[in-house]
Amino acid sequence: GESVGLHLPTLSVQEGDNSIINCAYSNSASDYFIWYKQESGKGPQFIIDIRSNMDKRQGQRVTVLLNKTVKHLSLQIAATQPGDSAVYFCAEPFNQAGTALIFGKGTTLSVSS
Amino acid sequence: EPEVTQTPSHQVTQMGQEVILRCVPISNHLYFYWYRQILGQKVEFLVSFYNNEISEKSEIFDDQFSVERPDGSNFTLKIRSTKLEDSAMYFCASSKDRVGASQPQHFGDGTRLSIL
């Protein structure tokens, strides 16, 4: 079955709010996670990644949190902008050979002005 | 910033015909991938390629599919006899190292394949 999934298919926020997008994974052996953003008509765009030896990593306006105890991953976007509107996917290695990614179903983030 | 580029952006093909999708990975990347995304669904792994051979493939990547790196810059996906269910967005990706080595994959903007 699918080892990576998201809690909510859609999330609507106001411009300037902080957004939190969640992801649950089932493979406790997974040691690396990536968040991608996919805008309409485009390919997945790398946002941020985290290894399992970390529980938090920050980028520009984004933070990823990893809770290995409950196998939960979240992406926080600060001061959400209309340009952040997209589908967000979490992904992890398909298996220990580590060449393929398995994607979750995605959360559609809609930002209104 | 270097990008993965894919051509064509849209390919329309009659069922049963062969189609070749083309990709130019990021130049210093060593691992290459094809994924597909059926409309409204999640991105699915097809195949990975390293050192001129397939590293991994999924159940989707059957005998109708093949990949090739014909020269130092291009990476192609061939579907020999297309079926209606092959209609999807096909994404090429590349990376410096395996995702198991904590290296992210970078994706192109895809080729929309429509089978009639």
Side-chain angles (χ1 to χ4, degrees), chain A residues 76-111:
Chain A
Q76 300 179 359
I77 305 173
T80 314
Q81 303 167 358
D84 295 325
S85 295
V87 181
Y88 289 81
F89 296 93
C90 60
E92 63 178 326
F94 185 68
N95 55 36
Q96 294 304 308
T99 63
L101 283 174
I102 182 168
F103 283 75
K105 290 182 180 176
T107 290
T108 300
L109 176 65
S110 299
V111 183

Side-chain angles (χ1 to χ4, degrees), chain B residues 14-61:
Chain B
Q14 291 287 331
M15 185 172 60
Q17 295 296 305
E18 175 183 286
V19 66
I20 298 176
L21 309 182
R22 304 182 189 277
C23 169
V24 179
I26 295 173
S27 62
N28 63 344
H29 286 187
L30 300 177
Y31 288 79
F32 315 113
Y33 313 86
W34 284 101
Y35 289 79
R36 78 171 187 192
Q37 186 178 32
I38 294 170
L39 186 63
Q41 299 187 22
K42 61 180 180 176
V43 178
E44 300 175 289
F45 170 74
L46 293 178
V47 65
S48 60
F49 192 85
Y50 170 72
N51 199 25
N52 286 318
E53 60 183 27
I54 291 174
S55 298
E56 278 187 278
K57 58 183 181 179
S58 71
E59 293 176 351
I60 302 167
F61 194 87

Side-chain angles (χ1 to χ4, degrees), chain A residues 2 32 34 36 38 41-44 46 49 51 89 95 97-101 103-105, chain B residues 31 33 35 37 42-43 45 48 55-56 91 98-100 102-109:
Chain A
E2 181 182 298
Y32 178 60
I34 309 172
Y36 285 95
Q38 187 177 26
K42 299 211 162 201
F46 170 77
D49 56 2
R51 298 190 66 177
F89 296 93
N95 55 36
T99 63
L101 283 174
F103 283 75
K105 290 182 180 176
Chain B
Y31 288 79
Y33 313 86
Y35 289 79
Q37 186 178 32
K42 61 180 180 176
V43 178
F45 170 74
S48 60
S55 298
E56 278 187 278
F91 294 107
R98 300 174 298 113
V99 67
S102 302
Q103 287 293 317
Q105 295 174 16
H106 297 269
F107 287 75
D109 282 338

Side-chain angles (χ1 to χ4, degrees), chain A residues 14-32:
Chain A
Q14 292 285 325
E15 182 177 2
D17 286 352
N18 296 331
S19 303
I20 300 176
I21 300 171
N22 295 306
C23 176
Y25 63 94
S26 58
N27 184 0
S28 56
S30 291
D31 59 2
Y32 178 60

